[in-house]
Amino acid sequence: MDTPETRTCLVTGAAGFIGSHTCRRLLAEGYRVIGVDNLNDYYSVELKVARLAELRGLSGFTFVEGDITEASGVEGWFEQFSPQLVLHLAAQAGVRHSLENPRVYVESNILGFFNVLDASRRHGVEHVVYASSSSVYGANTKVPFEETDRVDDQVSL
């Protein structure tokens, strides 16, 4: 049976808050982690770079700057690193931003997600985990949100 030390997990959105903490946890458990992020400027690039600097100091971490919307790049990561596991956290965030720039959302959150799923399928990835944000709860007025809440009234793309 494989141990975490022999397994590779590709984490998209690795420079984000959740992504960087997840990478740290996976590394602590002995996984090899390939962290991918496009370092866009939706929020502080300096903060993302600082998170990556901490991760780069940890054994087993490799960073790849890349964009999930570029299918050939995504394909290259899977060919180069052969991940058994994928944790897909990369996405364009922000409800207001989604209404002002819907094309950016479609490219990142739909096309990018498809590229990751397609490469995972073609390369025999064992498990893909996809996470969304609280924005999925939309116009729900019940607080706090719960996973079982209906999400019929989205307010963002």
Side-chain angles (χ1 to χ4, degrees):
M1 181 171 153
D2 289 338
T3 62
E5 296 83 19
T6 64
R7 300 176 60 78
T8 299
C9 183
L10 186 137
V11 179
T12 66
F17 179 80
I18 295 170
S20 63
H21 282 81
T22 302
C23 287
R24 183 180 302 276
R25 175 65 182 264
L26 289 166
L27 291 164
E29 291 183 10
Y31 290 88
R32 177 177 178 227
V33 175
I34 309 305
V36 176
D37 205 292
N38 70 355
L39 301 176
N40 72 22
D41 62 358
Y42 179 72
Y43 69 88
S44 173
V45 174
E46 293 77 20
L47 181 56
K48 294 175 184 182
V49 169
R51 289 180 185 136
L52 288 172
E54 291 179 8
L55 288 170
R56 284 183 168 141
L58 301 175
S59 177
F61 182 77
T62 301
F63 176 66
V64 176
E65 185 172 352
D67 193 328
I68 61 172
T69 66
E70 297 173 8
S72 62
V74 174
E75 180 68 23
W77 310 331
F78 282 78
E79 288 176 4
Q80 182 178 358
F81 299 109
S82 303
Q84 292 84 33
L85 312 167
V86 172
L87 178 55
H88 179 54
L89 301 172
Q92 180 60 58
V95 173
R96 183 176 302 127
H97 190 65
S98 76
L99 299 174
E100 296 167 358
N101 300 290
R103 183 170 305 280
V104 173
Y105 277 76
V106 169
E107 290 172 357
S108 179
N109 299 358
I110 297 174
L111 176 60
F113 185 35
F114 169 78
N115 289 339
V116 171
L117 284 178
D118 191 44
S120 295
R121 176 187 58 84
R122 286 185 288 99
H123 289 273
V125 169
E126 296 169 19
H127 297 285
V128 176
V129 176
Y130 167 66
S132 184
S133 73
S134 62
S135 297
V136 73
Y137 295 106
N140 186 351
T141 58
K142 181 179 148 290
V143 177
F145 303 133
E146 295 180 12
E147 292 175 356
T148 56
D149 290 345
R150 293 183 60 105
V151 292
D152 299 347
D153 298 310
Q154 297 86 0
V155 294
S156 68
L157 180 63

